[in-house]
Amino acid sequence: MDTYNSTLEQVVSSTGSSNTLLQKGLFSLSEYSKLQLLITFLVAVFTYDQIAYQLRKRNLAGPAFKWYPIIGPFLDSLDPKFEQYVEKWNSGKLSCVSIFHKFVIIASDRDLARKIFQAQKFVKPCVVDVAVKILRPTNWVFLDGKAHLDYRKSLNGLFTKTALEQYLPHIEEIVDKYMDKFVELSKENNYEPQVFFHEMREILCAISLRSFCGDYITEDQIRKIADDYYLVTAALELVNFPIILPYTKTWYGKKTADNAMKIFENCAQMAKDHVAKGGKSICVMDAWCKLMYDSKNKDDETSRLYHREFTNREVSEAVFTFLFASQDASSSLACWIFQILADRPDVLEKIRTEQLKVRDNKPDESVSINMIDKMEYTNMVIKETLRYRPPVIMVPYVVKKNFPVTETYTAPKGSMLIPSCYPALHDPEVYENPDEFIPERWVEGGKAMQNKKNWLVFGCGPHVCLGQTYVMITFATLIGKFALNTNWEHKVTPLSEKIKVFATIFPKDDLLLNFKKRDPLTGKIIE
């Protein structure tokens, strides 16, 4: 019996060992298969990504291979360098790159850029992938074809010279306020040069918000939006993580946009109430509500566009796109024009002379459209600044269907197609010595004025910027008043003329200035 039990134990023990070995073997085989499967999958994905890139690239200038699988040059794009854009432009009329399997085609040629701008049948603006989520998919800028054209027609009346003259008092009020603020900031710093990048963004945001919302928006709300708008800019950089995750740039950007649009909704209702009571139109919202209100008693084609009541949400979303379109671009223009004028006292002196002339030596005279029309040299300076340092250097579009951009290349559906503005504005055949600042090139009848096809500052085609006249009027008022009533100095650094890309372009040293009061008639500096 003892011998039997001993033998049985040995058998059981042997069987148990065999099972353990078998289990270990199967476990190892299973793990090996999973690893092999993962490697096979990754190789397949990377191979597909490379093949797809090659098939799309074809004869375009660009990297021969995606050296960083899937993500491409994503990490480099987190800190975009202007010099890298220049390299792309110089590499060919069409060049390409692929990021997160998104195929991006960059057009540097003027005629190709214009062709893309005008090709609404094949492309539509996309800003960046995440823009639809931040600006909301219901926003009018994402409409296409006739729907977009009709909506745009309904907004044209808000930016005519007649309408803009109604907003001028608000613009002038903000300029006066910030002149004092800039001087006070400089005084507190013993007139030592300090960074004014943020202040330029704030003043332009305040001007826009007052122009769009009038007195319906409070000082605290203006300050809050101006302070936070930086987050929207960061969220809408050309390259960003495509999914909105909590506490990321895109998350903060969406939160800021939603809060601003909620404020605008309340302002829209107040504007409707004001106009219904017969109130005077003094801001964009008033003008829009008045067009809606008046159209109910008319039956012409333009009025029919306003027969329906645009909801507060629609007005809010549209106004936010006005802010989006103006904020970064106008902040960029402000930074460059203040730097340029400080570094070129002869140009600034000509502006001051003209400003006194159009005001009949009455520096306190309120600004009017008629007065701005007489500011020929001031307007030439603004236009040359826009050419010399164009705020928007490229405009992203998404391809709706295969688009034959040239005879030898068709942009595939779903790719991003980006017409560039900068090369056309620095074309030496149109603008002699294009890297020099020469306001006089914009004299009536000159080569620059004759070659209108190169003037891509505001784009062209069905999505051309609505606010062109608004920009010129705003900056004529801004520069005219600052030139007369303040004197500012710029600390030149090795980075002053270097370009930083942050949605638009800015001086790389963030603009070091100081401001002092100035007697507009005698030119005496007042400390």
Side-chain angles (χ1 to χ4, degrees), residues 39-220:
I39 292 173
T40 303
F41 174 75
L42 290 176
V43 169
V45 169
F46 295 160
T47 302
Y48 170 75
D49 190 50
Q50 289 287 0
I51 292 174
Y53 173 69
Q54 296 297 329
L55 290 174
R56 293 169 180 168
K57 178 180 182 296
R58 293 177 58 198
N59 59 344
L60 297 185
F65 300 96
K66 288 185 69 172
W67 299 110
Y68 299 99
I70 307 300
I71 67 171
F74 171 70
L75 298 178
D76 292 339
S77 302
L78 291 176
D79 182 23
K81 302 289 191 300
F82 179 73
E83 293 75 17
Q84 292 174 336
Y85 289 119
V86 174
E87 286 179 12
K88 279 288 182 189
W89 296 329
N90 291 338
S91 68
K93 292 182 178 182
L94 287 177
S95 59
C96 67
V97 69
S98 180
I99 301 175
F100 282 122
H101 203 58
K102 172 68 74 174
F103 190 67
V104 182
I105 306 158
I106 300 170
S108 60
D109 177 75
R110 180 201 71 182
D111 293 333
L112 288 180
R114 292 183 66 86
K115 181 176 182 178
I116 296 165
F117 278 130
Q118 296 169 337
Q120 62 175 329
K121 178 181 176 182
F122 295 99
V123 300
K124 66 177 179 179
C126 65
V127 190
V128 290
D129 285 347
V130 80
V132 176
K133 299 172 185 175
I134 292 176
L135 300 179
R136 298 178 183 170
T138 53
N139 203 305
W140 77 280
V141 294
F142 301 118
L143 294 176
D144 206 11
K146 187 177 185 303
H148 174 266
L149 290 175
D150 285 347
Y151 207 115
R152 186 185 176 89
K153 286 178 184 177
S154 73
L155 302 175
N156 285 335
L158 308 180
F159 294 97
T160 63
K161 281 191 175 182
T162 301
L164 290 169
E165 186 145 33
Q166 300 171 17
Y167 321 147
L168 268 176
H170 277 309
I171 295 174
E172 197 165 12
E173 171 196 336
I174 294 295
V175 171
D176 288 341
K177 175 184 172 181
Y178 275 86
M179 278 196 300
D180 292 339
K181 180 176 180 177
F182 286 5
V183 169
E184 190 59 32
L185 283 172
S186 299
K187 185 177 180 181
E188 290 172 0
N189 198 44
N190 295 318
Y191 298 107
E192 289 295 319
Q194 59 185 304
V195 169
F196 262 84
F197 166 75
H198 301 288
E199 279 65 34
M200 291 299 168
R201 289 179 64 84
E202 184 180 325
I203 182 176
L204 268 301
C205 190
I207 287 174
S208 294
L209 291 174
R210 274 281 179 247
S211 299
F212 301 156
C213 304
D215 294 326
Y216 308 125
I217 190 166
T218 68
E219 289 290 334
D220 288 342

Side-chain angles (χ1 to χ4, degrees), residues 129-418:
D129 285 347
V130 80
V132 176
K133 299 172 185 175
I134 292 176
L135 300 179
R136 298 178 183 170
T138 53
N139 203 305
W140 77 280
V141 294
F142 301 118
L143 294 176
D144 206 11
K146 187 177 185 303
H148 174 266
L149 290 175
D150 285 347
Y151 207 115
R152 186 185 176 89
K153 286 178 184 177
S154 73
L155 302 175
N156 285 335
L158 308 180
F159 294 97
T160 63
K161 281 191 175 182
T162 301
L164 290 169
E165 186 145 33
Q166 300 171 17
Y167 321 147
L168 268 176
H170 277 309
I171 295 174
E172 197 165 12
E173 171 196 336
I174 294 295
V175 171
D176 288 341
K177 175 184 172 181
Y178 275 86
M179 278 196 300
D180 292 339
K181 180 176 180 177
F182 286 5
V183 169
E184 190 59 32
L185 283 172
S186 299
K187 185 177 180 181
E188 290 172 0
N189 198 44
N190 295 318
Y191 298 107
E192 289 295 319
Q194 59 185 304
V195 169
F196 262 84
F197 166 75
H198 301 288
E199 279 65 34
M200 291 299 168
R201 289 179 64 84
E202 184 180 325
I203 182 176
L204 268 301
C205 190
I207 287 174
S208 294
L209 291 174
R210 274 281 179 247
S211 299
F212 301 156
C213 304
D215 294 326
Y216 308 125
I217 190 166
T218 68
E219 289 290 334
D220 288 342
Q221 289 171 333
I222 288 176
R223 193 175 302 108
K224 176 66 174 170
I225 294 174
D227 288 345
D228 291 351
Y229 197 86
Y230 191 91
L231 300 172
V232 177
T233 304
L236 292 172
E237 288 175 314
L238 185 58
V239 176
N240 232 324
F241 196 68
I243 302 172
I244 296 180
L245 298 175
Y247 308 109
T248 59
K249 285 183 182 180
T250 50
W251 184 82
Y252 283 113
K254 178 165 174 44
K255 187 176 179 181
T256 298
D258 285 344
N259 288 339
M261 282 189 256
K262 186 174 181 180
I263 291 171
F264 295 161
E265 280 191 51
N266 293 331
C267 292
Q269 186 57 55
M270 287 188 277
K272 287 179 179 179
D273 295 341
H274 173 74
V275 169
K277 294 175 183 176
K280 183 181 177 183
S281 176
I282 58 172
C283 66
V284 168
M285 282 190 177
D286 282 344
W288 194 352
C289 292
K290 191 168 191 326
L291 285 170
M292 281 190 275
Y293 188 81
D294 291 346
S295 70
K296 294 172 184 177
N297 298 315
K298 299 177 182 177
D299 197 36
D300 58 277
E301 183 180 352
T302 302
S303 296
R304 280 194 290 274
L305 293 170
Y306 295 97
H307 277 174
R308 78 172 179 86
E309 185 83 2
F310 287 88
T311 66
N312 293 343
R313 181 185 175 95
E314 286 177 311
V315 173
S316 168
E317 290 173 352
V319 167
F320 190 82
T321 62
F322 298 160
L323 181 63
F324 169 68
S326 68
Q327 175 56 18
D328 292 310
S330 58
S331 299
S332 168
L333 176 56
C335 285
W336 288 112
I337 202 165
F338 274 96
Q339 174 171 302
I340 286 166
L341 292 178
D343 294 345
R344 296 166 177 78
D346 56 322
V347 175
L348 181 54
E349 190 55 40
K350 289 179 182 178
I351 288 177
R352 285 170 172 156
T353 300
E354 181 177 73
Q355 291 298 316
L356 281 177
K357 181 180 178 182
V358 299
R359 287 174 166 82
D360 294 326
N361 277 346
K362 299 173 185 175
D364 294 331
E365 190 83 5
S366 294
V367 180
S368 66
I369 294 294
N370 183 53
M371 184 188 294
I372 290 173
D373 285 342
K374 295 177 182 178
M375 298 178 187
E376 294 180 8
Y377 187 75
T378 303
N379 282 306
M380 285 195 289
V381 168
I382 297 168
K383 200 161 186 178
E384 177 65 354
T385 306
L386 286 167
R387 183 207 66 81
Y388 178 66
R389 289 291 184 262
V392 179
I393 58 176
M394 52 179 61
V395 184
Y397 282 78
V398 66
V399 180
K400 298 188 293 184
K401 63 179 182 177
N402 290 350
F403 176 22
V405 184
T406 68
E407 292 182 359
T408 59
Y409 185 78
T410 297
K413 178 182 177 180
S415 59
M416 188 179 283
L417 189 55
I418 305 180

Side-chain angles (χ1 to χ4, degrees), residues 24-38:
K24 286 183 177 179
L26 290 173
F27 181 76
S28 298
L29 180 61
S30 175
E31 282 299 295
Y32 178 75
S33 298
K34 287 180 181 177
L35 180 60
Q36 192 176 46
L37 184 63
L38 176 61

